[in-house]
Amino acid sequence: MIWMAMRLALFSLMRNKIRALLTVLGILIGVAAVVASSAIGAGAKERIESQFASLGVNVIMVFPGASAAGGARGAAGSGSGLTEDDARAILVEVPTVSAAAPTLTASAQLVAGGRNWSTRVYGTTPDYFRVRSWNTTDGAPFTESDMRTSAKVCVVGTTIVRELFGGENALGSSLRVGRMPCTIVGILETKGQSGFGQDQDDIVVVPMSTFRTRVARRPGREVGQVMVSARDPAVTSHAEASITTLLRQRHRLVGADENDFTVRNMADVVKSFDAQRAAITTLLLVVASISLLVGGIGVMNIMLVSVTERTREIGIRLAIGARARDILAQFLVEAVVLAAIGGLAGLGLGAGASYIVGKTTEWKVSLQAETALLAVLVSGGIGVVFGFFPARRAARLDPIVALRHE
């Protein structure tokens, strides 16, 4: 009986192609919107995670506190207080930390041959490359020996190689950073944009001692930030708490004294971004669900019209022995087939729209199998829910009254 009902449903739809197409359109648009929203949302999540992963493994950032002058308070990180000794203490005294790299930054003009380029120069230690899990494709990072001798060496990103050397192998080439000539000893692997939209490959890294004496002339031991890597993701929060406790002791902060530094766990930043993405995706899914509701109402409306048009046919079927449940199954299957066709077409349209969005905007999309299955099941469910009332109405018709219907 189910196969017979499906055949009758398809025959009925073929008799009214335009009407069936317009009815399917509502379901199609709703399912396509759900599929596209889910695919783009899942792709956004993967992109956020990959971009933050490029910052390093289990990274904790330590910044100086805010500056204060004349009662005016500056932005976070504008104060002073963090030193290279703090970074060393974090590495030695916090057992859950595997590396700690103090850093200083400054803008500088680079010159190589007849080309020049403005970028950010980082002064740091060899631990910087371990914290950021950043390997070299050619050469190697500078060493502790280079730190002790303030060697005029540097490690550069692929953007620097492209802009100053035309993409050719620059290992061993001479590069002027500001007024300091240096030798390129390493080329970093490509990382692309960070989660904040910065080109991570537009970078020059030099030893901290070289930076202080030859690039920015910054005496003393103060640093702009300390990048720390926890030994394992499971101990990142514990490492963050231990760093806070250690720095409060070193900076002689007691009781209710406010921290003169800021410790930021990048995992928390990732969670914050992911929460914002989830909220936007949920909003899009709610809008798409409204489209599905409108499509379901369209299915119910067209099925009521179909029952009215075929009242005499229903009366004949009932008169020659059809049971009420046979009529119910016939119209219910017809509604489900109508919605399922819209669901399958919407699945195809949503997948196509996601692919086009990904290609035109270079935004990664991820269409998951469970999302596709859910979309088809939801469309079938819409057919059952919104088709039940018209089917029940058809099944409860009085055969004599139905036969008299004109």
Side-chain angles (χ1 to χ4, degrees):
M1 290 299 297
I2 295 296
W3 288 112
M4 179 65 70
M6 290 186 67
R7 287 178 59 190
L8 290 172
L10 291 172
F11 178 73
S12 175
L13 294 177
M14 291 301 294
R15 285 193 305 177
N16 299 279
K17 297 184 182 66
I18 301 299
R19 189 171 71 184
L21 178 62
L22 294 175
T23 305
V24 163
L25 198 57
I27 302 293
L28 184 151
I29 293 173
V31 171
V34 169
V35 170
S37 299
S38 299
I40 294 172
K45 180 180 180 180
E46 291 181 13
R47 182 169 180 173
I48 289 171
E49 291 174 347
S50 65
Q51 286 180 336
F52 275 98
S54 70
L55 294 175
V57 178
N58 314 324
V59 174
I60 301 170
M61 311 287 284
V62 186
F63 301 96
S67 61
R73 188 176 178 85
S78 59
S80 59
L82 279 182
T83 66
E84 292 182 53
D85 297 326
D86 288 331
R88 180 65 181 170
I90 290 171
L91 180 61
V92 172
E93 299 184 35
V94 180
T96 50
V97 166
S98 61
T103 62
L104 284 169
T105 64
S107 297
Q109 195 72 20
L110 310 181
V111 179
R115 299 183 179 183
N116 67 88
W117 183 255
S118 180
T119 189
R120 299 289 293 178
V121 180
Y122 284 70
T124 186
T125 66
D127 265 1
Y128 176 83
F129 305 102
R130 287 192 286 273
V131 171
R132 296 204 58 189
S133 303
W134 209 346
N135 300 318
T136 55
T137 55
D138 289 301
F142 50 79
T143 63
E144 292 291 344
S145 175
D146 295 326
M147 292 279 296
R148 289 192 295 270
T149 60
S150 299
K152 298 178 182 179
V153 296
C154 61
V155 180
V156 300
T158 53
T159 297
I160 305 300
V161 176
R162 183 183 68 246
E163 296 297 335
L164 294 182
F165 300 96
E168 297 179 0
N169 190 355
L171 188 64
S173 300
S174 180
L175 174 69
R176 195 168 82 241
V177 180
R179 295 182 179 180
M180 179 193 74
C182 66
T183 302
I184 298 175
V185 296
I187 310 296
L188 294 168
E189 64 184 7
T190 301
K191 276 189 177 276
Q193 283 193 340
S194 70
F196 304 100
Q198 298 173 328
D199 182 3
Q200 298 183 89
D201 303 312
D202 189 6
I203 187 174
V204 175
V205 188
V206 301
M208 177 68 82
S209 54
T210 305
F211 183 95
R212 289 188 184 280
T213 58
R214 303 179 187 278
V215 177
R217 303 282 181 184
R218 295 185 186 177
R221 304 281 289 174
E222 289 185 354
V223 296
Q225 68 175 353
V226 178
M227 300 183 69
V228 181
S229 179
R231 292 188 181 277
D232 188 84
V235 300
T236 302
S237 297
H238 183 266
E240 181 182 0
S242 299
I243 291 169
T244 301
T245 302
L246 173 64
L247 291 181
R248 284 186 63 84
Q249 293 173 352
R250 289 183 57 82
H251 295 185
R252 295 181 173 83
L253 301 174
V254 295
D257 291 347
E258 186 178 356
N259 290 341
D260 60 356
F261 58 88
T262 301
V263 182
R264 185 173 299 164
N265 184 347
M266 295 309 294
D268 293 336
V269 178
V270 174
K271 289 179 181 178
S272 176
F273 271 82
D274 195 46
Q276 295 177 24
R277 175 208 61 81
I280 294 173
T281 302
T282 301
L283 178 61
L284 292 174
L285 288 175
V286 168
V287 174
S289 299
I290 293 173
S291 299
L292 281 174
L293 178 62
V294 172
I297 293 172
V299 169
M300 183 167 64
N301 180 59
I302 206 66
M303 291 307 299
L304 285 172
V305 172
S306 181
V307 169
T308 301
E309 289 181 345
R310 296 157 63 186
T311 300
R312 187 173 178 81
E313 173 191 329
I314 295 169
I316 294 173
R317 291 182 183 278
L318 291 170
I320 61 175
R323 294 162 296 183
R325 65 183 183 183
D326 298 328
I327 303 299
L328 178 69
Q330 177 187 343
F331 283 91
L332 195 57
V333 168
E334 188 171 322
V336 171
V337 168
L338 194 63
I341 291 173
L344 292 172
L347 175 61
L349 179 61
S354 302
Y355 177 80
I356 292 172
V357 168
K359 283 296 183 181
T360 54
T361 63
E362 297 184 357
W363 186 270
K364 186 176 181 180
V365 296
S366 178
L367 179 60
Q368 300 173 336
E370 52 267 29
T371 301
L373 178 61
L374 180 62
V376 176
L377 291 178
V378 166
S379 62
I382 287 172
V384 173
V385 172
F386 288 92
F388 181 77
F389 176 70
R392 183 168 175 269
R393 181 175 176 180
R396 298 181 69 180
L397 284 174
D398 186 296
I400 297 175
V401 175
L403 286 170
R404 289 176 179 175
H405 182 78
E406 294 295 336

PDB file of all heavy atoms in Angstrom, residues 8-9 23 28 62 89 125 155 225 233 270 322 340 347-348 372 404 406:
ATOM      1  N   LEU A   8       0.750   7.020  -6.519  1.00  0.00           N
ATOM      2  CA  LEU A   8      -0.364   7.959  -6.653  1.00  0.00           C
ATOM      3  C   LEU A   8       0.081   9.387  -6.323  1.00  0.00           C
ATOM      4  O   LEU A   8      -0.364  10.354  -6.958  1.00  0.00           O
ATOM      5  CB  LEU A   8      -1.507   7.547  -5.725  1.00  0.00           C
ATOM      6  CG  LEU A   8      -2.260   6.268  -6.114  1.00  0.00           C
ATOM      7  CD1 LEU A   8      -3.236   5.874  -5.017  1.00  0.00           C
ATOM      8  CD2 LEU A   8      -3.007   6.484  -7.436  1.00  0.00           C
ATOM      9  N   ALA A   9       0.967   9.507  -5.307  1.00  0.00           N
ATOM     10  CA  ALA A   9       1.463  10.836  -4.928  1.00  0.00           C
ATOM     11  C   ALA A   9       2.250  11.461  -6.071  1.00  0.00           C
ATOM     12  O   ALA A   9       2.059  12.639  -6.423  1.00  0.00           O
ATOM     13  CB  ALA A   9       2.329  10.720  -3.677  1.00  0.00           C
ATOM     14  N   THR A  23       5.204  24.960  -4.353  1.00  0.00           N
ATOM     15  CA  THR A  23       5.120  24.452  -2.982  1.00  0.00           C
ATOM     16  C   THR A  23       6.478  23.955  -2.501  1.00  0.00           C
ATOM     17  O   THR A  23       6.892  24.214  -1.367  1.00  0.00           O
ATOM     18  CB  THR A  23       4.101  23.305  -2.906  1.00  0.00           C
ATOM     19  OG1 THR A  23       2.847  23.757  -3.423  1.00  0.00           O
ATOM     20  CG2 THR A  23       3.920  22.835  -1.475  1.00  0.00           C
ATOM     21  N   LEU A  28      12.554  24.027  -0.177  1.00  0.00           N
ATOM     22  CA  LEU A  28      13.882  24.064  -0.801  1.00  0.00           C
ATOM     23  C   LEU A  28      14.725  25.203  -0.232  1.00  0.00           C
ATOM     24  O   LEU A  28      15.880  25.013   0.162  1.00  0.00           O
ATOM     25  CB  LEU A  28      13.721  24.203  -2.317  1.00  0.00           C
ATOM     26  CG  LEU A  28      14.970  24.165  -3.193  1.00  0.00           C
ATOM     27  CD1 LEU A  28      14.622  23.610  -4.565  1.00  0.00           C
ATOM     28  CD2 LEU A  28      15.584  25.544  -3.354  1.00  0.00           C
ATOM     29  N   VAL A  62      51.878  36.931  28.458  1.00  0.00           N
ATOM     30  CA  VAL A  62      52.023  37.763  29.653  1.00  0.00           C
ATOM     31  C   VAL A  62      52.406  39.170  29.193  1.00  0.00           C
ATOM     32  O   VAL A  62      53.416  39.351  28.513  1.00  0.00           O
ATOM     33  CB  VAL A  62      53.091  37.207  30.611  1.00  0.00           C
ATOM     34  CG1 VAL A  62      53.111  38.019  31.908  1.00  0.00           C
ATOM     35  CG2 VAL A  62      52.838  35.735  30.908  1.00  0.00           C
ATOM     36  N   ALA A  89      62.510  33.276  35.242  1.00  0.00           N
ATOM     37  CA  ALA A  89      61.926  32.697  36.449  1.00  0.00           C
ATOM     38  C   ALA A  89      60.724  31.820  36.110  1.00  0.00           C
ATOM     39  O   ALA A  89      60.531  30.753  36.713  1.00  0.00           O
ATOM     40  CB  ALA A  89      61.523  33.813  37.406  1.00  0.00           C
ATOM     41  N   THR A 125      64.349  35.477  22.104  1.00  0.00           N
ATOM     42  CA  THR A 125      65.299  34.401  22.376  1.00  0.00           C
ATOM     43  C   THR A 125      64.949  33.196  21.511  1.00  0.00           C
ATOM     44  O   THR A 125      63.871  33.147  20.899  1.00  0.00           O
ATOM     45  CB  THR A 125      65.236  33.997  23.866  1.00  0.00           C
ATOM     46  OG1 THR A 125      63.944  33.428  24.132  1.00  0.00           O
ATOM     47  CG2 THR A 125      65.445  35.216  24.769  1.00  0.00           C
ATOM     48  N   VAL A 155      66.272  36.038  11.341  1.00  0.00           N
ATOM     49  CA  VAL A 155      65.419  35.018  10.724  1.00  0.00           C
ATOM     50  C   VAL A 155      64.217  35.756  10.156  1.00  0.00           C
ATOM     51  O   VAL A 155      63.636  36.609  10.830  1.00  0.00           O
ATOM     52  CB  VAL A 155      64.978  33.969  11.760  1.00  0.00           C
ATOM     53  CG1 VAL A 155      64.088  32.920  11.117  1.00  0.00           C
ATOM     54  CG2 VAL A 155      66.188  33.318  12.415  1.00  0.00           C
ATOM     55  N   GLN A 225      56.518  41.827  26.206  1.00  0.00           N
ATOM     56  CA  GLN A 225      55.644  40.711  26.557  1.00  0.00           C
ATOM     57  C   GLN A 225      56.481  39.465  26.733  1.00  0.00           C
ATOM     58  O   GLN A 225      57.647  39.426  26.317  1.00  0.00           O
ATOM     59  CB  GLN A 225      54.572  40.473  25.500  1.00  0.00           C
ATOM     60  CG  GLN A 225      55.104  39.961  24.171  1.00  0.00           C
ATOM     61  CD  GLN A 225      54.000  39.607  23.180  1.00  0.00           C
ATOM     62  OE1 GLN A 225      52.827  39.622  23.509  1.00  0.00           O
ATOM     63  NE2 GLN A 225      54.388  39.292  21.960  1.00  0.00           N
ATOM     64  N   PRO A 233      48.059  20.707  26.917  1.00  0.00           N
ATOM     65  CA  PRO A 233      46.814  21.488  26.963  1.00  0.00           C
ATOM     66  C   PRO A 233      46.063  21.340  28.282  1.00  0.00           C
ATOM     67  O   PRO A 233      45.406  22.276  28.741  1.00  0.00           O
ATOM     68  CB  PRO A 233      46.003  20.912  25.794  1.00  0.00           C
ATOM     69  CG  PRO A 233      47.010  20.334  24.867  1.00  0.00           C
ATOM     70  CD  PRO A 233      48.118  19.832  25.735  1.00  0.00           C
ATOM     71  N   VAL A 270      40.243  31.700  22.123  1.00  0.00           N
ATOM     72  CA  VAL A 270      39.623  30.842  21.105  1.00  0.00           C
ATOM     73  C   VAL A 270      38.180  30.538  21.482  1.00  0.00           C
ATOM     74  O   VAL A 270      37.274  30.585  20.645  1.00  0.00           O
ATOM     75  CB  VAL A 270      40.428  29.538  20.937  1.00  0.00           C
ATOM     76  CG1 VAL A 270      39.696  28.581  19.996  1.00  0.00           C
ATOM     77  CG2 VAL A 270      41.819  29.829  20.392  1.00  0.00           C
ATOM     78  N   ALA A 322     -12.240   1.375  -0.035  1.00  0.00           N
ATOM     79  CA  ALA A 322     -11.049   1.939   0.609  1.00  0.00           C
ATOM     80  C   ALA A 322     -11.376   2.308   2.051  1.00  0.00           C
ATOM     81  O   ALA A 322     -12.454   2.816   2.341  1.00  0.00           O
ATOM     82  CB  ALA A 322     -10.566   3.164  -0.162  1.00  0.00           C
ATOM     83  N   ALA A 340       9.952  15.926   0.851  1.00  0.00           N
ATOM     84  CA  ALA A 340      11.250  15.261   0.673  1.00  0.00           C
ATOM     85  C   ALA A 340      11.933  15.718  -0.605  1.00  0.00           C
ATOM     86  O   ALA A 340      13.161  15.902  -0.637  1.00  0.00           O
ATOM     87  CB  ALA A 340      11.058  13.742   0.656  1.00  0.00           C
ATOM     88  N   LEU A 347      19.071  20.461  -0.214  1.00  0.00           N
ATOM     89  CA  LEU A 347      20.388  19.960   0.167  1.00  0.00           C
ATOM     90  C   LEU A 347      21.406  20.229  -0.931  1.00  0.00           C
ATOM     91  O   LEU A 347      22.524  20.703  -0.671  1.00  0.00           O
ATOM     92  CB  LEU A 347      20.298  18.461   0.464  1.00  0.00           C
ATOM     93  CG  LEU A 347      21.608  17.734   0.770  1.00  0.00           C
ATOM     94  CD1 LEU A 347      22.266  18.336   2.007  1.00  0.00           C
ATOM     95  CD2 LEU A 347      21.361  16.243   0.981  1.00  0.00           C
ATOM     96  N   GLY A 348      21.011  19.940  -2.171  1.00  0.00           N
ATOM     97  CA  GLY A 348      21.902  20.211  -3.294  1.00  0.00           C
ATOM     98  C   GLY A 348      22.192  21.693  -3.459  1.00  0.00           C
ATOM     99  O   GLY A 348      23.339  22.104  -3.681  1.00  0.00           O
ATOM    100  N   ALA A 372      23.595  16.988   6.496  1.00  0.00           N
ATOM    101  CA  ALA A 372      22.837  16.640   5.298  1.00  0.00           C
ATOM    102  C   ALA A 372      21.702  15.669   5.624  1.00  0.00           C
ATOM    103  O   ALA A 372      20.563  15.839   5.173  1.00  0.00           O
ATOM    104  CB  ALA A 372      23.777  16.023   4.258  1.00  0.00           C
ATOM    105  N   ARG A 404     -21.457  13.459  -3.796  1.00  0.00           N
ATOM    106  CA  ARG A 404     -22.334  14.525  -4.270  1.00  0.00           C
ATOM    107  C   ARG A 404     -21.585  15.819  -4.583  1.00  0.00           C
ATOM    108  O   ARG A 404     -22.155  16.754  -5.134  1.00  0.00           O
ATOM    109  CB  ARG A 404     -23.399  14.815  -3.184  1.00  0.00           C
ATOM    110  CG  ARG A 404     -24.436  13.705  -3.025  1.00  0.00           C
ATOM    111  CD  ARG A 404     -25.362  14.026  -1.882  1.00  0.00           C
ATOM    112  NE  ARG A 404     -26.389  12.997  -1.710  1.00  0.00           N
ATOM    113  CZ  ARG A 404     -27.285  12.966  -0.726  1.00  0.00           C
ATOM    114  NH1 ARG A 404     -27.248  13.950   0.214  1.00  0.00           N
ATOM    115  NH2 ARG A 404     -28.158  12.013  -0.631  1.00  0.00           N
ATOM    116  N   GLU A 406     -19.466  18.598  -6.218  1.00  0.00           N
ATOM    117  CA  GLU A 406     -19.223  18.997  -7.613  1.00  0.00           C
ATOM    118  C   GLU A 406     -17.853  19.670  -7.716  1.00  0.00           C
ATOM    119  O   GLU A 406     -17.533  20.543  -6.933  1.00  0.00           O
ATOM    120  CB  GLU A 406     -20.306  19.960  -8.097  1.00  0.00           C
ATOM    121  CG  GLU A 406     -21.676  19.330  -8.177  1.00  0.00           C
ATOM    122  CD  GLU A 406     -21.764  18.247  -9.208  1.00  0.00           C
ATOM    123  OE1 GLU A 406     -20.946  18.268 -10.153  1.00  0.00           O
ATOM    124  OE2 GLU A 406     -22.606  17.332  -9.064  1.00  0.00           O
TER     125      GLU A 406
END
